[in-house]
Amino acid sequence: METLIKPEMPILRETPEQIYQRMANRMAALAQKRGETPPATDEGEIHYDLAYPIAEELSEQQQLLEYGFLQGFLPWADGEFLDAAGVFFGLTRNEEETDDAYRQRLIDRARSDEGDGRRQDYERWARNVDGVGGAVAIEKARHDLSIDVFITDLEGQPATSELAAQVRSKLEDKRRALHDLQVLPANIFPVTVAVKVILRPEAELAQVEEQIVSQVKTYLKGRSQIVYQQIGALFFVDGVEDFTDYTLNGGEANLTVPADCVATLQLVVTA
């Protein structure tokens, strides 16, 4: 999904200082209109002590108003507001499904009509099953009427055979009669990253390796193209001065993850 930036709404984002300054300006204008001396409104003065807490409350209410306004739009909804959008689309949240994954399913549903058995339909139907994180359907893998759906779990790892069987059962009602449908755990595409890091004096190799593993795994999740240079940029974690002898699957070329696979990481870090 393309990135949608939340709209800027500056009229609803005043700080307490901005609100108080407007209040102070009104006090001064009112005093001048009456021919009186404008009151002291600096910090510590009585008008400040009375009005500034009100300005803080108004600022907080503006933030809440903006939050509530944006929750009415699916791309920015979260929590119970996202669940309410799911009721509208007839898709409930799966067990332990994150806001991001659930939101993407709802957006996919909003952009798609109930299908007639196209590849995208089987992918969407599979992702709607509790426990499924991702799904890729491949047409004509075995013959002209075959559709194979490869699925991952919520952690992005190949699904168990039990989950695959459960998904296959749930898709039976939606399967078009002519389609020879199989649901299978996604295959594994091994990615081996080897690198020698140059550490700062205070750094510990174990902690550095843990940080690099986290960053590389995040990069690999759901990715079909693995770029050699982009992986290299992930080595610069806290404690790393530089690195050398970096290879990706034994070489220095980019990798393409097959559509039916998920990348799994083997990281070898030396110092």
Side-chain angles (χ1 to χ4, degrees):
M1 181 188 73
E2 65 272 18
T3 301
L4 295 178
I5 300 174
K6 289 184 179 180
E8 292 293 329
M9 304 173 66
I11 195 171
L12 299 177
R13 290 183 182 175
E14 291 179 299
T15 65
E17 288 75 16
Q18 291 171 324
I19 295 174
Y20 177 73
Q21 187 59 56
R22 288 196 293 105
M23 296 170 71
N25 293 342
R26 289 178 181 272
M27 293 181 204
L30 180 60
Q32 291 174 354
K33 183 177 179 180
R34 292 174 175 176
E36 302 171 354
T37 302
T41 55
D42 293 336
E43 185 174 353
E45 299 291 346
I46 186 170
H47 285 293
Y48 182 92
D49 293 342
L50 290 173
Y52 191 80
I54 298 174
E56 289 182 306
E57 177 66 21
L58 291 173
S59 178
E60 291 178 4
Q61 290 300 319
Q62 287 181 355
Q63 295 176 48
L64 290 173
L65 176 60
E66 179 185 354
Y67 174 77
F69 175 78
L70 291 175
Q71 292 307 301
F73 298 89
L74 181 56
W76 304 299
D78 51 36
E80 63 271 24
F81 297 97
L82 190 59
D83 292 330
V87 172
F88 175 81
F89 288 107
L91 292 178
T92 58
R93 187 193 296 262
N94 292 329
E95 185 177 355
E96 298 184 1
E97 187 172 28
T98 64
D99 277 356
D100 287 343
Y102 185 35
R103 185 184 302 107
Q104 185 60 60
R105 279 207 299 126
L106 293 176
I107 290 174
D108 290 343
R109 178 66 181 87
R111 291 175 171 175
S112 306
D113 295 326
E114 187 65 18
D116 56 0
R118 297 169 297 177
R119 175 179 59 82
Q120 296 90 337
D121 298 325
Y122 284 101
E123 292 175 350
R124 185 176 71 254
W125 294 333
R127 286 195 298 268
N128 288 341
V129 177
D130 193 12
V132 175
V136 173
I138 299 179
E139 296 178 300
K140 303 180 180 181
R142 290 167 284 116
H143 52 75
D144 284 348
L145 295 178
S146 68
I147 294 182
D148 294 348
V149 183
F150 296 86
I151 62 173
T152 62
D153 61 20
L154 296 176
E155 300 299 320
Q157 297 302 307
T160 64
S161 56
E162 291 79 9
L163 179 57
Q166 179 185 352
V167 173
R168 175 63 180 82
S169 176
K170 288 183 177 296
L171 263 58
E172 178 60 28
D173 291 340
K174 296 179 176 293
R175 180 176 68 89
R176 297 308 179 255
L178 295 177
H179 289 164
D180 178 8
L181 173 66
Q182 288 191 13
V183 179
L184 306 163
N187 295 313
I188 291 177
F189 181 79
V191 175
T192 301
V193 175
V195 63
K196 181 178 180 180
V197 293
I198 301 171
L199 301 177
R200 296 190 177 95
E202 72 279 5
E204 296 184 7
L205 181 60
Q207 293 180 349
V208 165
E209 183 174 2
E210 182 178 351
Q211 294 178 71
I212 294 176
V213 166
S214 177
Q215 294 208 141
V216 176
K217 282 186 174 180
T218 299
Y219 173 82
L220 294 178
K221 189 173 182 180
R223 187 173 293 272
S224 59
Q225 293 293 322
I226 302 174
V227 180
Y228 177 84
Q229 289 85 352
Q230 291 177 348
I231 292 282
L234 303 177
F235 300 144
F236 287 106
V237 299
D238 291 341
V240 174
E241 187 73 33
D242 203 351
F243 67 89
T244 186
D245 299 334
Y246 158 46
T247 60
L248 179 61
N249 277 15
E252 298 180 356
N254 300 336
L255 304 177
T256 299
V257 181
D260 61 350
C261 295
V262 293
T264 58
L265 174 67
Q266 179 181 1
L267 180 67
V268 180
V269 179
T270 57

